[in-house]
């Protein structure tokens, strides 16, 4: 409802063919407008100094599936929802001083999934499709190879813990999903979130260890100060109302009993917001059986990504030595897989809010913040829609072939190819009455049960100490090494070891 109220209001203000304030476009007709804008941007860049401090705090934001077209469209979506000129609006992290591109391929795939990419951007080693925390010597489902220590790779979270820093993970998916699992897990199959999944795949429980169990019983997972997200079912036995575990283990109870200092477990938004930070050393929050709900579907029971990020920072910052925090906006990916572009853009805006909260709570002098994606998706932004046209609506151009309008946003493949008739002709989208609603499936070309990832490079936005390292086109596996250099963690070259060598 909010979407349509704002859209209708903007339509009245700016004209339904391009609904942004007309006085803005009048300004843009003047060359002086753009010259002044460029000179301001130039001055800003000229006065930006390199930050060569040590990164006491490192925050890694991951927009799962946040392709460059997703960032562009989300920027416009945000502006339009706020009643602004969407094209000239920006997401919080687009204001960061450094921008680069990351190459996302796996060792064995041109187009990555969230598992091999998590291994790259968290452990600094490229791996095979659907494997986590192991080298490319491990193939999918080879549990015995994944258990060999020399095939396992450590994440930057483990490096940070070894340096005395506190660590945490925050996600809108399950905390055992591929992206957050990259901080702590070693597995030959990302789907092995609980022992139930291993049994379902007809694999040996003796040879394969599930991700939830690794989080609770093994380092570095067992040492995380903060764990916030979904996935309660993977931690509870199947004889309980919400659990799916077959080994009768209550991993939540084990987590609580293993902590020698104050540990709190929360399951809803109110409990999280009322946490006594000063008297909380460890925090586990599991807010749903599976993934959290989309922001557009959620009520007041589940916390937002921004709220979880704030709670995590407030607890982790109590460590004077510093911290490493991983935060994932995981439902961008989920929405794209179903061609639900409105939800994908809204989840990107939610990630932007969480990034802004981190900026507000930290000091750029000693806090390195990196925002990137693990892989792209096949959503494109195309045609020649008028300025101010609803980004989630029908474009303002007609196809010269079939003389029908088309969406500004569409997908190369996915489950919504039904926008074509049985005769192979496209539907007249002007006759479709749910366009722009949160559950509208945007058109796709190739019919598939779920939309696929894209192989495009993804953006890397950086702010804080040594953020200049993230410019240019880099391998995705470079990212944790660059962060480790700035934060003086890990066994590679660091700022601190460089300083010592120079002395």
């Amino acid at each position: 409802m909010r979407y349509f109220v704002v859209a209708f209001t903007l339509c009245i203000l700016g004209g339904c063919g391009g609904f942004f304030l007309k006085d803005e476009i009048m300004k843009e007709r003047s060359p002086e407008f753009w010259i002044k804008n460029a000179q301001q941007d130039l001055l800003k860049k000229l006065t930006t100094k390199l930050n060569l401090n040590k990164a006491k705090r490192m925050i890694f934001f991951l927009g799962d599936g946040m392709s460059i077209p997703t960032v562009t469209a989300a920027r416009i979506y945000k502006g339009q929802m706020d009643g602004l000129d969407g094209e000239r609006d920006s997401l919080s992290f687009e204001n960061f001083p450094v921008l680069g591109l990351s190459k996302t391929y796996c060792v064995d795939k041109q187009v990555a999934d969230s598992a091999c990419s998590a291994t790259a951007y968290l452990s600094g080693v490229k791996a095979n499709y659907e494997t986590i925390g192991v080298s490319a010597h491990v193939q999918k489902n080879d549990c015995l190879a994944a258990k060999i220590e020399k095939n396992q790779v450590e994440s930057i979270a483990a490096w940070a813990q070894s340096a005395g820093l506190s660590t945490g993970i925050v996600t809108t998916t399950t905390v055992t999903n591929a992206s957050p699992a990259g901080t702590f897990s070693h597995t030959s199959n990302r789907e092995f979130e609980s022992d139930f999944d291993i049994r379902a795949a007809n694999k040996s429980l003796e040879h394969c260890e599930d991700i939830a169990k690794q989080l609770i019983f093994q380092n570095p997972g067992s040492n995380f100060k903060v764990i916030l997200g979904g996935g309660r079912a993977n931690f509870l036995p199947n004889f309980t109302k919400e659990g799916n575990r077959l080994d009768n283990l209550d991993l939540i109870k084990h987590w609580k009993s293993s902590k020698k200092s104050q540990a709190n477990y929360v399951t809803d938004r109110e409990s999280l917001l009322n946490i006594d930070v000063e008297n909380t050393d460890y925090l586990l929050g599991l807010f749903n059986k599976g993934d959290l709900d989309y922001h557009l579907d959620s009520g007041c029971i589940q916390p937002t990504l921004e709220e979880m990020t704030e709670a995590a920072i407030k607890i982790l910052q109590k460590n004077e030595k510093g911290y490493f925090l991983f935060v994932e906006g995981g439902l961008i990916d989920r929405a794209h897989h179903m061609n639900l572009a409105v939800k994908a853009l809204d989840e990107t805006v939610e990630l932007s809010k969480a990034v802004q909260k981190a900026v507000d709570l930290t000091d750029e002098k000693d806090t390195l913040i990196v925002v990137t994606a693990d892989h792209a998706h096949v959503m494109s932004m195309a045609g020649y829609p008028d300025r101010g046209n609803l980004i989630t609506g029908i474009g303002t151009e007609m196809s010269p072939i079939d003389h029908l309008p088309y969406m500004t946003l569409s997908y190369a493949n996915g489950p919504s190819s039904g926008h074509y008739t049985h005769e192979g002709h496209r539907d007249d989208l002007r006759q479709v009455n749910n366009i722009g609603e949160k559950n509208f499936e945007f058109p796709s070309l190739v019919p598939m049960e779920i939309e696929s990832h894209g192989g495009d490079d993804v953006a890397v936005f950086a702010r804080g100490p040594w953020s200049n390292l993230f410019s240019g086109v880099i391998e995705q596996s470079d990212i944790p090494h660059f962060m480790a250099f700035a934060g003086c963690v890990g066994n590679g070259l660091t700022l601190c070891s460089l300083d010592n060598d120079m002395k």
Side-chain angles (χ1 to χ4, degrees), residues 171-175 177 193 229-232 287-294 302 330-331 334:
T171 181
T172 50
T173 65
T174 62
V175 297
N177 194 40
E193 296 190 48
R232 234 178 0 245
F287 304 104
N288 205 12
K289 265 185 81 172
D291 295 338
L292 271 60
D293 297 330
Y294 290 111
Q302 296 175 3
L331 300 183
R334 293 287 193 266

Side-chain angles (χ1 to χ4, degrees), residues 15-305:
C16 295
F19 58 79
F20 77 98
L21 304 179
K22 290 185 176 178
D23 62 337
E24 289 297 318
I25 202 167
M26 293 299 292
K27 293 178 184 176
E28 292 180 9
R29 289 177 179 174
S30 168
E32 286 73 24
F33 174 87
W34 299 107
I35 293 170
K36 181 180 178 181
N37 184 77
Q39 290 298 310
Q40 289 173 340
D41 288 346
L42 175 60
L43 185 61
K44 184 177 179 180
K45 289 184 178 294
L46 289 173
T47 55
T48 299
K49 297 180 179 180
L50 289 180
N51 184 339
L52 305 182
N53 297 328
K54 175 187 173 183
K56 185 176 178 181
R57 303 167 181 87
M58 297 174 285
I59 307 178
F60 192 126
F61 282 94
L62 193 282
D64 197 317
M66 190 175 68
S67 61
I68 292 176
T70 301
V71 173
T72 303
R75 170 204 311 153
I76 298 172
Y77 170 87
K78 171 184 172 292
Q80 291 180 343
M81 293 303 96
D82 291 339
L84 303 172
D85 175 3
E87 289 82 0
R88 295 188 59 232
D89 199 20
S90 60
L91 302 172
S92 61
F93 46 85
E94 291 184 289
N95 296 315
F96 284 13
V98 177
L99 171 65
L101 291 175
S102 165
K103 297 189 282 187
T104 62
Y105 62 91
C106 308
V107 168
D108 61 343
K109 296 281 186 179
Q110 287 183 338
V111 178
D113 77 312
S114 294
C116 74
S117 54
T119 307
Y121 64 72
L122 287 167
S123 293
V125 173
K126 292 235 175 188
N128 290 326
Y129 183 70
E130 296 201 332
T131 67
I132 305 173
V134 291
S135 73
H137 288 296
V138 179
Q139 302 293 327
K140 181 180 177 182
N141 289 328
D142 189 348
C143 291
L144 288 176
K147 292 181 75 173
I148 298 174
E149 189 173 347
K150 69 177 181 179
N151 290 339
Q152 297 178 353
V153 292
E154 283 192 330
S155 75
I156 188 172
W159 306 343
Q161 287 181 10
S162 295
L165 279 62
S166 294
T167 53
I169 54 174
V170 171
T171 181
T172 50
T173 65
T174 62
V175 297
T176 48
N177 194 40
S179 303
T183 61
F184 63 86
S185 178
H186 310 287
T187 180
S188 62
N189 190 328
R190 57 175 290 179
E191 300 295 334
F192 294 164
E193 296 190 48
S194 78
D195 64 334
F196 173 87
D197 303 312
I198 297 172
R199 285 277 183 89
N202 294 316
K203 296 298 176 181
S204 166
L205 291 177
E206 180 183 354
H207 298 151
C208 308
E209 189 160 30
D210 66 86
I211 296 171
K213 197 172 179 182
Q214 291 183 48
L215 176 58
I216 301 303
F217 290 109
Q218 295 181 12
N219 295 333
S222 61
N223 289 324
F224 284 160
K225 295 286 187 178
V226 178
I227 304 168
L228 299 175
R232 234 178 0 245
N234 297 322
F235 295 83
L236 296 171
N238 65 350
F239 57 77
T240 62
K241 184 179 180 180
E242 294 187 303
N244 68 17
R245 297 195 65 82
L246 304 176
D247 55 12
N248 295 328
L249 288 176
D250 183 333
L251 297 184
I252 297 171
K253 184 181 294 184
H254 279 273
W255 178 85
K256 289 191 286 189
S257 64
S258 69
K259 306 307 174 192
K260 296 179 181 179
S261 54
Q262 186 63 43
N264 285 322
Y265 170 60
V266 294
T267 59
D268 57 54
R269 177 173 180 263
E270 183 179 4
S271 299
L272 177 69
L273 297 183
N274 289 325
I275 281 289
D276 182 355
V277 172
E278 293 305 315
N279 291 309
T280 300
D281 297 318
Y282 293 89
L283 177 62
L284 172 63
L286 299 175
F287 304 104
N288 205 12
K289 265 185 81 172
D291 295 338
L292 271 60
D293 297 330
Y294 290 111
H295 169 249
L296 289 176
D297 293 335
S298 62
C300 297
I301 296 177
Q302 296 175 3
T304 65
L305 186 62

Side-chain angles (χ1 to χ4, degrees), residues 51-55 368 464-470 482 485-486 495:
N51 184 339
L52 305 182
N53 297 328
K54 175 187 173 183
L368 173 62
W466 293 95
S467 55
N468 56 295
L469 295 175
F470 297 90
F482 291 177
F485 173 87
L495 174 63

